Amino acid sequence: MRLTWLADVLRAAGLTVVEHDGWQSRGKDLDRVDAVVCHHTASGPRTSDAANVRVLTDGRPDLPGPLSQLGLRRTGVVDLIAAGRCNHNGYGTWGNQSVGIEAYNDGVGEPWPAAQV
């Protein structure tokens, strides 16, 4: 299963969405959706949105991408990264049958903008 309907649902909810090339085919097929998992990127406010998108799309040296279906900018704009299964919970299977949202925030004291909350 691919979550190709994400863009339409998010826009219908009044959100601004940026569809990144290849998002509809990125990630393995999902068997189902069990939950929504919210994380933060551990990136500081000086990290560009483009840099966050690259990490979510391509992964890190220790974990291949995609790392989430959605990226949530500090402004509230949503980046569509993948429509398939992502590694937002590492390599394990727990939670990977879910929609992952990575909020662009350092997670250790950076205030959460109202647009993200």
Side-chain angles (χ1 to χ4, degrees), residues 11-98:
R11 285 190 180 108
L15 299 171
T16 301
V17 176
V18 176
E19 298 182 52
H20 293 276
D21 288 342
W23 79 271
Q24 291 179 325
S25 60
R26 194 170 291 119
K28 298 178 182 176
D29 284 346
L30 289 151
D31 297 328
R32 62 194 180 281
V33 174
D34 293 332
V36 175
V37 176
C38 299
H39 286 247
H40 62 81
T41 56
S43 61
R46 294 184 185 191
T47 305
S48 70
D49 293 334
N52 281 314
V53 167
R54 274 192 304 278
V55 170
L56 295 179
T57 301
D58 300 334
R60 312 180 308 245
D62 63 322
L63 188 64
L67 300 184
S68 68
Q69 284 87 2
L70 307 172
L72 180 58
R73 298 181 189 184
R74 289 168 175 86
T75 60
V77 171
V78 177
D79 289 305
L80 274 173
I81 306 297
R85 185 173 179 252
C86 297
N87 289 326
H88 47 264
N89 289 310
Y91 289 104
T93 58
W94 180 87
N96 285 358
Q97 297 295 329
S98 58

Side-chain angles (χ1 to χ4, degrees), residues 4-17:
T4 55
W5 44 264
L6 279 171
D8 294 334
V9 168
L10 294 168
R11 285 190 180 108
L15 299 171
T16 301
V17 176

